[in-house]
Amino acid sequence: MHVRARFFASYRELVGASELEFEVPPGATVAEALSRLRARDGGFGRLPTSVAVAVNREYATPDRGLEEGDELALLPPVAGG
Amino acid sequence: MIRAEVVEDPIDPSVLLGLVGEDEDGAVLLFLGVVRDHNDGRPVRGLRYEAYVEMATEVLRAIADEAAGRLGTDRLVVLHRVGVLEIGDVSVGIAVSSPHRAEAFEASRHVIEEIKKRLPVWKEEEYADGNRDWVAGISPAPPPGGESP
């Protein structure tokens, strides 16, 4: 199934893309999807081992299951305000 | 009326104040987050805020709703600006009003502290020497038990 990853700020610069559609096995978790991303060529392997994520615009834990078409956002430490 | 928005245009404090305050309110409180000219001892020339706008809008609204619960009124406005800002520009504006001051201070404080902890916004500083860097932020934690299956 397909998942859409989004990258922001320093992570966007690290991987050189703001979004990417990629394939994960059906029923994959957030952690499994992140492993797939890190295995890609380029800057993906330099993503930190612990990354905050949101699934469909809500913060999610690594064991969260993904579904077809989910939006998986990788969020650097936040610095608003 | 609760308002919570991520905006690109400059934030006008007088507009914020005009959106709160009723006859029963004895306290009207305005908080402005402003771009300062230094950070960690380095002179700062300007900033750029980047946001995950769709999510930030939802998170900001959730924060505003929580704060309104503490405030006891629905007279709460919060705007967070994104894009390129200069020294002295307002990055965050919060206006609240309530019959008594304690609730107003508590609600306003809640909004700014939660923005710092969980709003998906990032800050890139441009220094006087021309270098740029992302400001080290706070790792947002998922709510306990929140989204797990």
Side-chain angles (χ1 to χ4, degrees):
Chain A
M1 65 180 188
H2 291 86
V3 172
R4 186 161 81 120
R6 294 186 66 178
F7 307 95
F8 294 92
S10 57
Y11 295 172
R12 175 175 50 72
E13 292 179 347
L14 196 60
V15 306
S18 57
E19 59 178 85
L20 170 76
E21 194 167 296
F22 69 110
E23 178 129 14
V24 294
T29 62
V30 163
E32 288 160 355
L34 290 176
S35 297
R36 293 228 161 192
L37 283 176
R38 287 200 190 88
R40 297 177 75 93
D41 291 337
F44 289 92
R46 286 186 285 134
L47 287 166
T49 46
S50 176
V51 174
V53 299
V55 175
N56 300 334
R57 305 182 301 282
E58 289 192 6
Y59 287 112
T61 52
D63 58 352
R64 160 79 181 253
L66 294 169
E67 292 175 20
E68 169 73 28
D70 276 352
E71 181 168 292
L72 174 68
L74 280 69
L75 308 174
V78 299
Chain B
M1 175 200 55
I2 298 170
R3 254 181 77 176
E5 292 171 19
V6 176
V7 298
E8 293 184 0
D9 294 330
I11 293 170
D12 181 344
S14 63
V15 171
L16 294 185
L17 285 173
L19 292 168
V20 300
E22 290 287 343
D23 288 350
E24 67 176 39
D25 291 339
V28 176
L29 194 60
L30 174 70
F31 173 85
L32 301 176
V34 179
V35 178
R36 62 168 176 255
D37 68 357
H38 66 279
N39 189 24
D40 276 341
R42 286 180 87 175
V44 172
R45 187 192 290 170
L47 293 181
R48 196 178 64 84
Y49 284 96
E50 176 175 331
Y52 180 6
V53 175
E54 306 95 309
M55 178 175 173
T57 302
E58 293 179 10
V59 171
L60 200 56
R61 176 67 199 209
I63 291 170
D65 286 344
E66 293 160 13
R70 297 171 179 230
L71 186 64
T73 81
D74 64 353
R75 296 180 286 283
L76 185 152
V77 185
V78 52
L79 304 181
H80 195 302
R81 192 173 167 199
V82 294
V84 175
L85 278 73
E86 297 175 354
I87 307 302
D89 280 353
V90 176
S91 56
V92 182
I94 303 167
V96 304
S97 68
S98 56
H100 302 286
R101 68 184 179 283
E103 294 83 356
F105 277 111
E106 191 187 337
S108 182
R109 183 80 191 248
H110 179 81
V111 173
I112 188 63
E113 298 301 336
E114 291 301 310
I115 284 174
K116 297 276 182 187
K117 284 184 210 161
R118 51 195 255 236
L119 196 70
V121 170
W122 301 275
K123 179 160 47 177
E124 187 184 39
E125 288 178 335
E126 182 186 350
Y127 303 103
D129 59 13
N131 287 322
R132 295 166 172 275
D133 207 357
W134 294 100
V135 173
I138 296 172
S139 214
E147 289 300 309
S148 302

